[in-house]
Amino acid sequence: MSELEFTPTPEQYAWTFGGVAPIHEVDPGTVLRLWCDDAFGGRIRAVTDLASAVLDPRFLNPQTGPFAVRGAEPGDTLALHLVDLTPARDWGASTLVPFFGGLTGTDRTALLDDPLPELTWIYELDRARNTVTFSARRSDFSVDLPVAPMLGTVGVAPAAREVRSSLTPDAFGGNMDTPEMRAGVTCYLPVNEPGAIFSVGDGHYRQGEGESCGTAVEGAMAVTLIVDLVKADTAPAPAWPRIESDDELITVGSSRPLEDAWRIGQKEMISWLSALHGLDRLDAYELLTQISLAPLANVVDTNYSAVTKVAKAFLPRAEAYGGLHADLRARAASL
């Protein structure tokens, strides 16, 4: 496997999906070793750093990339296997931002309530114990939490030359903020433009489902991933992002209202089960009703994201995308 190591300089970050020329072109099968900054671009380092003072809303969620994949054409499926996610700093940050979050008035849920006060929390990383420490700001309380690294943003260029903010999740992936985007999974995304034009970023050292206040334990991340490609004549591209782990099939829908995001994920899982097992869609609907889990990904972004998960243990053995996930796991083990 060929390898590319890339650490972007600040002027090389992408701030959108689509509309940015690729920084590198890679072949399918390439291993990428990347450095990704946090959603704040490293500008929040202490509890005295407030979002309104140090952040420019035009420059949030810096993306590492984009990368073009040689031979990728619209209708193909991009496969990104996350081999390793390792915190790249010894601290992470989380904030309360005025009029942003799941339990405050926002620009779209317009209320007469005053904004929540700005606060910043810094989580110190203990690498030996693999924990981050929550220290309350207004109470005498602290607790060590297990590190659970994930990527908030994984996405390709949208269709029809559309350009979308790196804060947005949609059918192209993007800022889905699901804890399922962790090491050991394979993410499948539809190729909409020649080269796929994908980027990754928004490292989280851990995040609860829903990302309630709008920010996780945001931290820079060292990312190792393998890029691969499924051609359209082998299998049709998914309409929405799919994730495969050793034990589960996962779909992600993003929309507003939240129930529409859930509906997208459920419908996509029905399509996946139908293709894998030859099920009529109504039989797949009935089966899904009995075996699916539906955790939230985010309820704070420009679109909300909802996940549908099905355990492989409930299903007869079937190889999604010709067993590509297992093949990528084997390749990852050799690194």
Side-chain angles (χ1 to χ4, degrees):
M1 291 182 286
S2 61
E3 296 194 14
L4 172 67
E5 187 168 339
F6 178 67
T7 298
T9 58
E11 62 272 12
Q12 289 176 315
Y13 289 133
W15 306 97
T16 61
F17 292 96
V20 182
I23 199 107
H24 285 288
E25 185 177 46
V26 299
D27 290 313
T30 300
V31 177
L32 296 182
R33 299 185 186 273
L34 310 173
W35 191 91
C36 298
D37 210 340
D38 65 42
F40 308 128
R43 290 184 291 275
I44 293 184
R45 295 172 173 266
V47 295
T48 53
D49 292 331
L50 300 182
S52 63
V54 302
L55 299 181
D56 184 331
R58 297 172 302 167
F59 301 108
L60 297 173
N61 269 9
Q63 296 298 291
T64 297
F67 302 92
V69 181
R70 194 170 285 110
E73 296 291 341
D76 296 341
T77 300
L78 178 69
L80 299 176
H81 181 72
L82 301 183
V83 178
D84 183 73
L85 303 177
T86 298
R89 292 193 180 111
D90 289 331
W91 49 268
S94 188
T95 63
L96 286 185
V97 179
F99 299 117
F100 176 66
L103 295 178
T104 183
T106 71
D107 59 338
R108 299 188 184 206
T109 303
L111 304 174
L112 291 176
D113 296 347
D114 292 331
L116 294 175
E118 287 193 80
L119 283 173
T120 297
W121 290 262
I122 298 297
Y123 290 74
E124 298 297 337
L125 173 67
D126 186 324
R127 293 184 185 273
R129 298 173 60 221
N130 201 36
T131 61
V132 287
T133 301
F134 167 76
S135 297
R137 294 293 314 280
R138 295 184 168 188
S139 314
D140 183 17
F141 180 89
S142 68
V143 62
D144 294 333
L145 304 172
V147 173
M150 54 164 281
L151 291 180
T153 52
V154 177
V156 298
R161 298 185 180 179
E162 190 174 10
V163 177
R164 303 292 292 276
S165 164
S166 58
L167 296 173
T168 300
D170 211 306
F172 57 86
N175 192 32
M176 297 175 282
D177 282 322
T178 171
E180 303 298 339
M181 201 69 74
R182 50 187 168 76
V185 307
T186 303
C187 177
Y188 304 105
L189 295 166
V191 174
N192 302 305
E193 294 288 337
I197 318 299
F198 78 91
S199 60
V200 300
D202 190 21
H204 296 177
Y205 294 173
R206 68 169 295 115
Q207 178 209 299
E209 292 171 357
E211 199 181 19
S212 304
C213 82
T215 58
V217 181
E218 310 283 343
M221 198 76 74
V223 178
T224 302
L225 61 84
I226 304 174
V227 182
D228 217 324
L229 189 64
V230 180
K231 296 299 291 180
D233 58 1
T234 301
W240 288 80
R242 294 176 177 179
I243 302 171
E244 184 177 2
S245 70
D246 293 348
D247 300 319
E248 293 174 315
L249 301 176
I250 302 165
T251 54
V252 185
S254 299
S255 188
R256 287 200 185 198
L258 181 58
E259 56 264 34
D260 279 353
W262 171 83
R263 288 179 178 119
I264 291 167
Q266 294 274 303
K267 183 176 182 293
E268 283 302 298
M269 184 60 75
I270 288 170
S271 296
W272 204 358
L273 293 176
S274 296
L276 277 176
H277 299 286
L279 283 166
D280 176 85
R281 68 173 186 162
L282 296 185
D283 287 324
Y285 185 21
E286 171 61 24
L287 177 61
L288 183 69
T289 302
Q290 313 311 333
I291 65 174
S292 67
L293 299 176
L296 299 175
N298 91 80
V299 294
V300 295
D301 290 336
T302 50
N303 284 328
Y304 302 149
S305 297
V307 169
T308 295
K309 300 168 58 173
V310 168
K312 292 179 180 177
F314 290 128
L315 303 168
R317 183 176 177 85
E319 302 290 355
Y321 300 102
L324 181 55
H325 171 73
D327 177 56
L328 289 165
R329 287 285 276 164
R331 283 187 255 170
S334 70
L335 296 176

